[in-house]
Short mmCIF file of all heavy atoms in Angstrom, two decimals:
data_model
loop_
_atom_site.label_atom_id
_atom_site.label_comp_id
_atom_site.label_asym_id
_atom_site.label_seq_id
_atom_site.Cartn_x
_atom_site.Cartn_y
_atom_site.Cartn_z
N GLY A 111 -18.71 25.45 -37.93
CA GLY A 111 -17.58 24.57 -37.62
C GLY A 111 -16.66 25.14 -36.55
O GLY A 111 -15.93 24.40 -35.89
N THR A 112 -16.64 26.46 -36.39
CA THR A 112 -15.79 27.06 -35.36
C THR A 112 -16.63 27.72 -34.27
O THR A 112 -16.21 28.70 -33.68
CB THR A 112 -14.80 28.10 -35.95
OG1 THR A 112 -15.57 28.99 -36.76
CG2 THR A 112 -13.73 27.45 -36.77
N GLY A 113 -17.79 27.17 -34.01
CA GLY A 113 -18.59 27.67 -32.90
C GLY A 113 -19.78 28.50 -33.35
O GLY A 113 -20.06 28.62 -34.55
N PRO A 114 -20.48 29.10 -32.39
CA PRO A 114 -21.73 29.79 -32.71
C PRO A 114 -21.49 31.15 -33.37
O PRO A 114 -20.47 31.79 -33.15
CB PRO A 114 -22.36 30.00 -31.32
CG PRO A 114 -21.22 30.06 -30.39
CD PRO A 114 -20.17 29.14 -30.94
N LYS A 115 -22.46 31.54 -34.21
CA LYS A 115 -22.47 32.90 -34.75
C LYS A 115 -23.90 33.40 -34.64
O LYS A 115 -24.84 32.65 -34.87
CB LYS A 115 -22.02 32.91 -36.21
CG LYS A 115 -20.54 32.64 -36.39
CD LYS A 115 -20.11 32.71 -37.84
CE LYS A 115 -18.64 32.30 -37.98
NZ LYS A 115 -18.22 32.13 -39.37
N ILE A 116 -24.03 34.69 -34.32
CA ILE A 116 -25.36 35.28 -34.23
C ILE A 116 -25.77 35.78 -35.60
O ILE A 116 -24.98 36.41 -36.30
CB ILE A 116 -25.36 36.47 -33.23
CG1 ILE A 116 -24.95 35.98 -31.84
CG2 ILE A 116 -26.71 37.16 -33.18
CD1 ILE A 116 -24.73 37.10 -30.83
N VAL A 117 -27.01 35.47 -36.00
CA VAL A 117 -27.55 36.02 -37.24
C VAL A 117 -28.60 37.06 -36.86
O VAL A 117 -29.49 36.77 -36.06
CB VAL A 117 -28.20 34.93 -38.11
CG1 VAL A 117 -28.76 35.54 -39.39
CG2 VAL A 117 -27.20 33.83 -38.43
N LEU A 118 -28.47 38.26 -37.41
CA LEU A 118 -29.45 39.31 -37.13
C LEU A 118 -30.29 39.56 -38.36
O LEU A 118 -29.76 39.62 -39.47
CB LEU A 118 -28.75 40.61 -36.71
CG LEU A 118 -28.01 40.48 -35.38
CD1 LEU A 118 -26.53 40.70 -35.60
CD2 LEU A 118 -28.55 41.44 -34.36
N PRO A 119 -31.62 39.73 -38.18
CA PRO A 119 -32.45 40.09 -39.32
C PRO A 119 -32.01 41.43 -39.90
O PRO A 119 -31.36 42.23 -39.21
CB PRO A 119 -33.86 40.18 -38.72
CG PRO A 119 -33.80 39.42 -37.45
CD PRO A 119 -32.40 39.53 -36.95
N ASN A 120 -32.40 41.66 -41.15
CA ASN A 120 -31.93 42.84 -41.87
C ASN A 120 -32.24 44.17 -41.19
O ASN A 120 -31.51 45.16 -41.37
CB ASN A 120 -32.53 42.81 -43.28
CG ASN A 120 -32.01 43.91 -44.16
OD1 ASN A 120 -32.64 44.94 -44.31
ND2 ASN A 120 -30.83 43.71 -44.69
N LYS A 121 -33.32 44.21 -40.39
CA LYS A 121 -33.69 45.50 -39.78
C LYS A 121 -32.59 46.06 -38.87
O LYS A 121 -32.59 47.24 -38.55
CB LYS A 121 -35.01 45.36 -39.01
CG LYS A 121 -34.92 44.40 -37.83
CD LYS A 121 -36.27 44.22 -37.13
CE LYS A 121 -36.10 43.25 -35.98
NZ LYS A 121 -37.35 42.68 -35.50
N TYR A 122 -31.64 45.23 -38.47
CA TYR A 122 -30.55 45.72 -37.62
C TYR A 122 -29.38 46.32 -38.42
O TYR A 122 -28.45 46.86 -37.84
CB TYR A 122 -30.00 44.59 -36.75
CG TYR A 122 -30.97 44.09 -35.69
CD1 TYR A 122 -31.83 43.03 -35.96
CD2 TYR A 122 -31.02 44.69 -34.44
CE1 TYR A 122 -32.72 42.57 -35.00
CE2 TYR A 122 -31.91 44.24 -33.47
CZ TYR A 122 -32.76 43.18 -33.75
OH TYR A 122 -33.63 42.74 -32.80
N ALA A 123 -29.41 46.17 -39.75
CA ALA A 123 -28.24 46.54 -40.56
C ALA A 123 -27.82 47.98 -40.32
O ALA A 123 -26.64 48.28 -40.11
CB ALA A 123 -28.51 46.28 -42.04
N ASP A 124 -28.79 48.89 -40.37
CA ASP A 124 -28.45 50.31 -40.22
C ASP A 124 -27.85 50.62 -38.86
O ASP A 124 -26.88 51.37 -38.75
CB ASP A 124 -29.70 51.17 -40.43
CG ASP A 124 -29.76 51.70 -41.86
OD1 ASP A 124 -28.68 51.99 -42.40
OD2 ASP A 124 -30.86 51.79 -42.42
N GLU A 125 -28.43 49.99 -37.84
CA GLU A 125 -27.96 50.26 -36.48
C GLU A 125 -26.54 49.72 -36.25
O GLU A 125 -25.76 50.29 -35.48
CB GLU A 125 -28.93 49.63 -35.48
CG GLU A 125 -28.55 49.93 -34.05
CD GLU A 125 -29.58 49.45 -33.04
OE1 GLU A 125 -30.68 49.02 -33.44
OE2 GLU A 125 -29.26 49.52 -31.84
N LEU A 126 -26.22 48.63 -36.95
CA LEU A 126 -24.94 47.97 -36.67
C LEU A 126 -23.76 48.53 -37.45
O LEU A 126 -22.61 48.34 -37.07
CB LEU A 126 -25.06 46.47 -36.95
CG LEU A 126 -25.93 45.71 -35.96
CD1 LEU A 126 -26.06 44.27 -36.39
CD2 LEU A 126 -25.34 45.79 -34.56
N ARG A 127 -24.04 49.18 -38.57
CA ARG A 127 -22.92 49.63 -39.38
C ARG A 127 -22.11 50.66 -38.58
O ARG A 127 -22.65 51.45 -37.84
CB ARG A 127 -23.38 50.23 -40.70
CG ARG A 127 -24.04 51.57 -40.56
CD ARG A 127 -24.76 51.92 -41.83
NE ARG A 127 -25.47 53.16 -41.66
CZ ARG A 127 -25.00 54.33 -42.09
NH1 ARG A 127 -23.85 54.39 -42.73
NH2 ARG A 127 -25.69 55.42 -41.90
N ASN A 128 -20.81 50.60 -38.76
CA ASN A 128 -19.91 51.59 -38.16
C ASN A 128 -19.93 51.62 -36.63
O ASN A 128 -19.50 52.59 -36.04
CB ASN A 128 -20.23 52.99 -38.68
CG ASN A 128 -19.99 53.10 -40.16
OD1 ASN A 128 -19.40 52.18 -40.75
ND2 ASN A 128 -20.42 54.17 -40.77
N ARG A 129 -20.46 50.59 -35.97
CA ARG A 129 -20.38 50.57 -34.50
C ARG A 129 -18.94 50.26 -34.11
O ARG A 129 -18.37 49.26 -34.57
CB ARG A 129 -21.29 49.47 -33.92
CG ARG A 129 -22.78 49.74 -34.04
CD ARG A 129 -23.23 51.01 -33.35
NE ARG A 129 -22.90 51.05 -31.94
CZ ARG A 129 -23.74 51.38 -30.97
NH1 ARG A 129 -25.00 51.70 -31.29
NH2 ARG A 129 -23.37 51.42 -29.73
N PRO A 130 -18.33 51.08 -33.28
CA PRO A 130 -16.93 50.83 -32.93
C PRO A 130 -16.73 49.55 -32.13
O PRO A 130 -15.62 49.03 -32.04
CB PRO A 130 -16.54 52.07 -32.11
CG PRO A 130 -17.83 52.64 -31.62
CD PRO A 130 -18.88 52.27 -32.63
N GLU A 131 -17.81 49.02 -31.55
CA GLU A 131 -17.69 47.78 -30.77
C GLU A 131 -17.49 46.57 -31.68
O GLU A 131 -17.16 45.48 -31.20
CB GLU A 131 -18.96 47.53 -29.93
CG GLU A 131 -19.21 48.54 -28.83
CD GLU A 131 -20.04 49.74 -29.30
OE1 GLU A 131 -20.21 49.93 -30.53
OE2 GLU A 131 -20.51 50.50 -28.44
N LEU A 132 -17.77 46.74 -32.98
CA LEU A 132 -17.73 45.59 -33.89
C LEU A 132 -16.49 45.67 -34.77
O LEU A 132 -16.13 46.73 -35.26
CB LEU A 132 -18.98 45.59 -34.77
CG LEU A 132 -20.31 45.57 -34.02
CD1 LEU A 132 -21.47 45.59 -35.02
CD2 LEU A 132 -20.40 44.36 -33.12
N ASP A 133 -15.85 44.51 -34.97
CA ASP A 133 -14.65 44.51 -35.81
C ASP A 133 -14.82 43.57 -36.99
O ASP A 133 -15.26 42.44 -36.85
CB ASP A 133 -13.43 44.10 -34.99
CG ASP A 133 -12.14 44.41 -35.73
OD1 ASP A 133 -11.78 43.66 -36.65
OD2 ASP A 133 -11.51 45.43 -35.40
N PHE A 134 -14.42 44.09 -38.17
CA PHE A 134 -14.58 43.34 -39.41
C PHE A 134 -13.51 42.24 -39.52
O PHE A 134 -13.82 41.07 -39.70
CB PHE A 134 -14.48 44.32 -40.57
CG PHE A 134 -14.39 43.67 -41.92
CD1 PHE A 134 -15.53 43.16 -42.53
CD2 PHE A 134 -13.18 43.59 -42.59
CE1 PHE A 134 -15.45 42.57 -43.78
CE2 PHE A 134 -13.10 43.00 -43.84
CZ PHE A 134 -14.24 42.49 -44.44
N ASN A 135 -12.24 42.64 -39.40
CA ASN A 135 -11.18 41.65 -39.63
C ASN A 135 -11.13 40.57 -38.56
O ASN A 135 -10.87 39.41 -38.85
CB ASN A 135 -9.82 42.37 -39.70
CG ASN A 135 -9.66 43.09 -41.01
OD1 ASN A 135 -9.74 42.48 -42.07
ND2 ASN A 135 -9.48 44.40 -40.95
N GLU A 136 -11.42 40.97 -37.31
CA GLU A 136 -11.36 39.99 -36.22
C GLU A 136 -12.38 38.87 -36.42
O GLU A 136 -12.21 37.77 -35.90
CB GLU A 136 -11.60 40.67 -34.88
CG GLU A 136 -10.45 41.56 -34.42
CD GLU A 136 -9.19 40.76 -34.08
OE1 GLU A 136 -9.29 39.57 -33.77
OE2 GLU A 136 -8.09 41.35 -34.17
N ALA A 137 -13.45 39.18 -37.18
CA ALA A 137 -14.48 38.16 -37.40
C ALA A 137 -13.89 36.94 -38.09
O ALA A 137 -14.40 35.84 -37.99
CB ALA A 137 -15.62 38.74 -38.24
N PHE A 138 -12.78 37.13 -38.81
CA PHE A 138 -12.20 36.04 -39.58
C PHE A 138 -10.97 35.42 -38.91
O PHE A 138 -10.45 34.43 -39.39
CB PHE A 138 -11.83 36.51 -40.98
CG PHE A 138 -13.01 37.05 -41.74
CD1 PHE A 138 -13.19 38.41 -41.89
CD2 PHE A 138 -13.97 36.18 -42.25
CE1 PHE A 138 -14.30 38.90 -42.57
CE2 PHE A 138 -15.07 36.67 -42.93
CZ PHE A 138 -15.24 38.03 -43.09
N ARG A 139 -10.50 36.03 -37.82
CA ARG A 139 -9.25 35.57 -37.23
C ARG A 139 -9.31 34.09 -36.88
O ARG A 139 -8.41 33.31 -37.19
CB ARG A 139 -8.90 36.38 -35.98
CG ARG A 139 -7.54 36.03 -35.40
CD ARG A 139 -7.32 36.70 -34.05
NE ARG A 139 -6.97 38.11 -34.14
CZ ARG A 139 -5.74 38.56 -34.33
NH1 ARG A 139 -4.74 37.74 -34.49
NH2 ARG A 139 -5.50 39.84 -34.35
N LYS A 140 -10.41 33.70 -36.26
CA LYS A 140 -10.52 32.32 -35.79
C LYS A 140 -10.68 31.34 -36.94
O LYS A 140 -10.14 30.24 -36.91
CB LYS A 140 -11.74 32.24 -34.87
CG LYS A 140 -11.76 31.03 -34.00
CD LYS A 140 -12.74 31.30 -32.88
CE LYS A 140 -13.31 30.04 -32.31
NZ LYS A 140 -14.42 30.36 -31.40
N ASP A 141 -11.42 31.75 -37.98
CA ASP A 141 -11.63 30.84 -39.10
C ASP A 141 -10.42 30.78 -40.01
O ASP A 141 -10.26 29.85 -40.78
CB ASP A 141 -12.85 31.30 -39.93
CG ASP A 141 -14.16 30.95 -39.23
OD1 ASP A 141 -14.11 30.29 -38.18
OD2 ASP A 141 -15.22 31.34 -39.75
N PHE A 142 -9.55 31.79 -39.95
CA PHE A 142 -8.44 31.86 -40.90
C PHE A 142 -7.07 31.95 -40.27
O PHE A 142 -6.20 32.60 -40.80
CB PHE A 142 -8.64 33.01 -41.89
CG PHE A 142 -9.63 32.63 -42.94
CD1 PHE A 142 -10.93 33.06 -42.86
CD2 PHE A 142 -9.28 31.77 -43.97
CE1 PHE A 142 -11.87 32.67 -43.79
CE2 PHE A 142 -10.20 31.38 -44.91
CZ PHE A 142 -11.50 31.83 -44.81
N PHE A 143 -6.82 31.38 -39.14
CA PHE A 143 -5.49 31.07 -38.64
C PHE A 143 -4.40 32.06 -39.07
O PHE A 143 -3.35 31.67 -39.57
CB PHE A 143 -5.11 29.65 -39.06
CG PHE A 143 -6.16 28.66 -38.70
CD1 PHE A 143 -7.11 28.25 -39.62
CD2 PHE A 143 -6.25 28.19 -37.40
CE1 PHE A 143 -8.13 27.38 -39.26
CE2 PHE A 143 -7.26 27.32 -37.03
CZ PHE A 143 -8.19 26.91 -37.97
N ALA A 144 -4.68 33.33 -38.84
CA ALA A 144 -3.80 34.37 -39.35
C ALA A 144 -2.39 34.28 -38.77
O ALA A 144 -1.45 34.83 -39.33
CB ALA A 144 -4.40 35.75 -39.04
N HIS A 145 -2.22 33.58 -37.65
CA HIS A 145 -0.91 33.53 -37.02
C HIS A 145 -0.05 32.39 -37.59
O HIS A 145 1.09 32.24 -37.20
CB HIS A 145 -1.06 33.38 -35.50
CG HIS A 145 -2.07 32.33 -35.12
ND1 HIS A 145 -3.40 32.43 -35.43
CD2 HIS A 145 -1.93 31.15 -34.47
CE1 HIS A 145 -4.05 31.35 -34.99
NE2 HIS A 145 -3.17 30.57 -34.40
N TYR A 146 -0.60 31.59 -38.51
CA TYR A 146 0.20 30.52 -39.11
C TYR A 146 0.82 30.99 -40.42
O TYR A 146 0.23 31.79 -41.14
CB TYR A 146 -0.67 29.30 -39.38
CG TYR A 146 -1.08 28.54 -38.14
CD1 TYR A 146 -2.13 27.65 -38.17
CD2 TYR A 146 -0.40 28.71 -36.93
CE1 TYR A 146 -2.52 26.95 -37.04
CE2 TYR A 146 -0.78 28.02 -35.80
CZ TYR A 146 -1.84 27.13 -35.87
OH TYR A 146 -2.21 26.45 -34.75
N SER A 147 2.01 30.43 -40.74
CA SER A 147 2.65 30.88 -41.98
C SER A 147 1.82 30.38 -43.16
O SER A 147 1.20 29.33 -43.11
CB SER A 147 4.09 30.38 -42.05
OG SER A 147 4.12 28.98 -42.03
N GLY A 148 1.84 31.17 -44.22
CA GLY A 148 1.00 30.89 -45.38
C GLY A 148 -0.24 31.78 -45.37
O GLY A 148 -0.70 32.23 -46.42
N PHE A 149 -0.74 32.07 -44.16
CA PHE A 149 -1.91 32.94 -44.07
C PHE A 149 -1.46 34.40 -43.91
O PHE A 149 -2.12 35.18 -43.24
CB PHE A 149 -2.81 32.53 -42.89
CG PHE A 149 -3.45 31.17 -43.08
CD1 PHE A 149 -2.85 30.03 -42.57
CD2 PHE A 149 -4.63 31.04 -43.78
CE1 PHE A 149 -3.43 28.78 -42.75
CE2 PHE A 149 -5.22 29.79 -43.96
CZ PHE A 149 -4.62 28.66 -43.45
N ASP A 150 -0.32 34.73 -44.55
CA ASP A 150 0.28 36.05 -44.35
C ASP A 150 -0.65 37.17 -44.81
O ASP A 150 -0.67 38.24 -44.22
CB ASP A 150 1.61 36.12 -45.10
CG ASP A 150 2.56 35.03 -44.63
OD1 ASP A 150 2.39 33.87 -45.07
OD2 ASP A 150 3.44 35.31 -43.81
N GLY A 151 -1.40 36.89 -45.90
CA GLY A 151 -2.32 37.91 -46.40
C GLY A 151 -3.39 38.24 -45.37
O GLY A 151 -3.76 39.40 -45.19
N PHE A 152 -3.89 37.23 -44.68
CA PHE A 152 -4.91 37.44 -43.65
C PHE A 152 -4.28 38.21 -42.47
O PHE A 152 -4.90 39.08 -41.89
CB PHE A 152 -5.49 36.11 -43.18
CG PHE A 152 -6.23 35.40 -44.29
CD1 PHE A 152 -5.56 34.60 -45.19
CD2 PHE A 152 -7.59 35.57 -44.44
CE1 PHE A 152 -6.24 33.96 -46.22
CE2 PHE A 152 -8.28 34.94 -45.47
CZ PHE A 152 -7.59 34.13 -46.36
N ARG A 153 -3.02 37.84 -42.17
CA ARG A 153 -2.35 38.52 -41.07
C ARG A 153 -2.12 39.99 -41.43
O ARG A 153 -2.30 40.88 -40.59
CB ARG A 153 -1.02 37.84 -40.73
CG ARG A 153 -0.37 38.44 -39.49
CD ARG A 153 0.78 37.60 -38.96
NE ARG A 153 1.76 37.33 -39.97
CZ ARG A 153 2.12 36.11 -40.37
NH1 ARG A 153 1.58 35.04 -39.84
NH2 ARG A 153 3.03 35.96 -41.31
#
Side-chain angles (χ1 to χ4, degrees):
T112 50
K115 289 182 185 170
I116 299 172
V117 180
L118 294 117
N120 185 262
K121 64 183 179 198
Y122 292 92
D124 263 324
E125 183 174 351
L126 290 176
R127 72 194 175 99
N128 297 349
R129 290 301 303 228
E131 294 89 347
L132 303 179
D133 194 283
F134 170 78
N135 286 302
E136 289 293 336
F138 302 103
R139 185 189 282 275
K140 197 163 155 190
D141 284 355
F142 282 100
F143 308 97
H145 47 296
Y146 288 162
S147 60
F149 294 94
D150 303 78
F152 296 85
R153 187 167 54 240

